[in-house]
Amino acid sequence: MKTMKRRPGMVMAGLATGLLLAAGGAGAQGAKVKVGFMLPYTGTYAALGNAIENGFRLYVQEQGGKLGGRELEYFKVDDESEPAKATDNVNKLVKRDQVDVLVGTVHSGVALGMAKVARETKTLMINPNAGADAVTGAMCAPNIFRTSFSNWQPGYAMGKVMAEKGHKRAVTLTWKYAAGDESVGGFREGFEAGGGKVQKDLTVPFPNVEFQALLTEIASLKPDAVYVFFAGGGAVKFVKDYAAAGLNKTIPLYGAGFLTDGTLEAQGDAAQGLLTTLHYADGLTNAKEKTFRAGYMAAYKAEPDVYAMQGYDAGQLLGAGLAAVKGDVKNQAPLIAAMEKATIDSPRGPFTMSKAHNPVQDIYLRKVEGKQNKVVNVAIKGLADPARGCKM
Ligand code: BEZ
């Protein structure tokens, strides 16, 4: 290390600089932590984006509006679930608004663009939904965390459940993009390991909801069961169309839990009895779930769903990191270390982070009863994503 010879007067100047730095440091401590929400506020996933933001804000509110002793300042970009706009949108937050933390997003294709920029700029990113396997797989990075799931996780669990139910031949159907492809990939792995066979994979472009031709094809293929990935507005339409075609009477429908989460009000009778797998359910009895549900109801006059819960946990995870550095968000190494070793007391039940920064969590089997996704049992306990391609 190079050393400088001290000249007379340097000590005083150095002292003054030290004081200024200390004052600057204190100023930085006093400044608000800038949080950039990049979420869909329009389109088929709009309700999901809003629920995530609500959940995150609820946690911060419960902490008196501060994390690690610092207030937060929010910036927002509507990503429209549009992968082609992802780079421009995330740069609005990173370059224009200079946020300290990115919170987003919902759509896997958009998340991949977001994660690329977060990696390159080393901006802390907490992904509160999008399941793109690569985010905590090949693209994993010290500054990228997820509080939700990998697309593989609920799919794999449902493959196992359906095989255990004795189904031998299944047809899959999903939107054609990363989330659907990977959800079906996880499903195939679990189903085939249990002795099942995927008869045919059907897809429809995102966010199309013209399902009629596909339903006709399913009827003629006559599989033992159908596995689907749909979410938000598309999930509402699909479940209604499946029932209207009468298929719910002859070919059992299963899905990753997004099929019936946050959607039951609109799906009504068409969803009754559906079985899905997810890392959250109605009827969990842990203490955090009770306070979270009551707090969310009081704040927003609505029941929370999985998206609200994931947003809440993104707040909790950031809170764990900021507490460790007393709000000094620029002090990334200890902040990341604290996030890595945090046990999040989540409404889903406690979870920890895998080495690749994805939750290691229980996946529940749920059954729709009225307006609830009632927990049936734990389909797989402490399921970790395989994090294929992650070199961290
Ligand atoms: C996704 O694109 O990763 C996704 C979107 C909605 C629900 C679940 C996953």
Side-chain angles (χ1 to χ4, degrees):
M1 205 215 301
K2 278 189 179 170
T3 52
M4 273 200 306
K5 276 197 181 156
R6 285 189 184 276
R7 282 183 281 117
M10 268 186 96
V11 175
M12 285 310 292
L15 268 178
T17 310
L19 285 174
L20 275 177
L21 281 176
Q29 291 294 303
K32 295 179 179 173
V33 174
K34 293 176 159 193
V35 173
F37 288 122
M38 178 153 148
L39 292 166
Y41 294 106
T42 52
T44 198
Y45 288 161
L48 289 59
N50 282 308
I52 288 168
E53 182 180 334
N54 286 347
F56 188 97
R57 284 180 182 266
L58 174 64
Y59 179 71
V60 176
Q61 250 2 86
E62 286 175 1
Q63 310 312 305
K66 291 184 179 179
L67 297 183
R70 284 178 68 182
E71 284 179 23
L72 307 193
E73 182 176 9
Y74 296 110
F75 298 79
K76 285 170 65 156
V77 165
D78 176 9
D79 68 33
E80 303 167 45
S81 296
E82 180 51 85
K85 297 184 185 166
T87 306
D88 282 350
N89 279 332
V90 68
N91 276 327
K92 286 181 195 155
L93 293 168
V94 172
K95 298 205 170 129
R96 183 193 65 194
D97 303 330
Q98 307 213 317
V99 300
D100 298 304
V101 190
L102 289 165
V103 176
T105 186
V106 167
H107 184 288
S108 277
V110 179
L112 291 170
M114 224 181 142
K116 186 164 179 294
V117 172
R119 262 170 80 104
E120 285 163 3
T121 59
K122 296 196 166 35
T123 310
L124 185 63
M125 169 174 163
I126 303 179
N127 172 354
N129 185 70
D133 291 346
V135 168
T136 55
M139 295 179 76
C140 73
N143 57 310
I144 298 178
F145 288 81
R146 177 153 54 199
T147 57
S148 51
F149 58 92
S150 72
N151 290 320
W152 180 90
Q153 283 176 310
Y156 179 80
M158 187 43 101
K160 179 174 172 279
V161 167
M162 283 171 62
E164 283 168 3
K165 285 193 176 296
H167 298 308
K168 293 288 175 220
R169 292 177 319 133
V171 166
T172 72
L173 171 57
T174 179
W175 275 316
K176 181 80 199 139
Y177 81 104
D181 292 345
E182 293 169 358
S183 178
V184 164
F187 166 74
R188 174 180 284 99
E189 218 176 302
F191 191 53
E192 295 190 347
K197 186 94 197 101
V198 173
Q199 191 178 347
K200 188 155 189 188
D201 293 318
L202 301 173
T203 60
V204 56
F206 176 86
N208 278 14
V209 290
E210 295 312 318
F211 301 121
Q212 223 43 60
L214 295 157
L215 295 174
T216 306
E217 189 167 355
I218 289 171
S220 71
L221 285 166
K222 296 191 176 53
D224 294 341
V226 172
Y227 172 80
V228 298
F229 168 88
F230 290 108
V236 172
K237 171 87 165 37
F238 180 78
V239 166
K240 287 181 143 184
D241 285 4
Y242 198 85
L247 286 175
N248 58 341
K249 304 266 179 330
T250 51
I251 306 173
L253 174 66
Y254 300 85
F258 316 104
L259 187 67
T260 56
D261 225 275
T263 54
L264 290 175
E265 196 83 44
Q267 287 164 334
D269 287 348
Q272 294 312 303
L274 286 182
L275 291 173
T276 63
T277 42
L278 205 61
H279 49 289
Y280 193 42
D282 291 305
L284 299 178
T285 52
N286 68 75
K288 191 60 161 190
E289 162 69 358
K290 286 201 179 118
T291 55
F292 166 66
R293 202 161 274 277
Y296 197 92
M297 281 290 286
Y300 305 111
K301 314 283 171 268
E303 292 279 352
D305 57 17
V306 67
Y307 311 104
M309 179 278 284
Q310 293 167 166
Y312 185 85
D313 286 349
Q316 293 212 69
L317 182 64
L318 180 61
L322 285 174
V325 293
K326 300 198 169 43
D328 185 0
V329 70
K330 307 277 188 245
N331 195 4
Q332 255 201 14
L335 182 143
I336 285 172
M339 288 168 70
E340 283 175 335
K341 62 170 191 279
T343 297
I344 301 298
D345 182 15
S346 170
R348 76 190 82 176
F351 73 86
T352 54
M353 283 288 158
S354 69
K355 259 189 84 186
H357 298 175
N358 189 65
V360 178
Q361 55 193 340
D362 294 349
I363 306 291
Y364 302 102
L365 175 64
R366 311 113 45 90
K367 181 176 188 182
V368 176
E369 285 176 22
K371 294 196 178 135
Q372 296 205 319
N373 286 288
K374 276 271 183 209
V375 63
V376 175
N377 59 30
V378 175
I380 303 187
K381 191 140 190 67
L383 184 64
D385 177 79
R388 292 173 182 131
C390 174
K391 300 204 177 57
M392 211 166 48

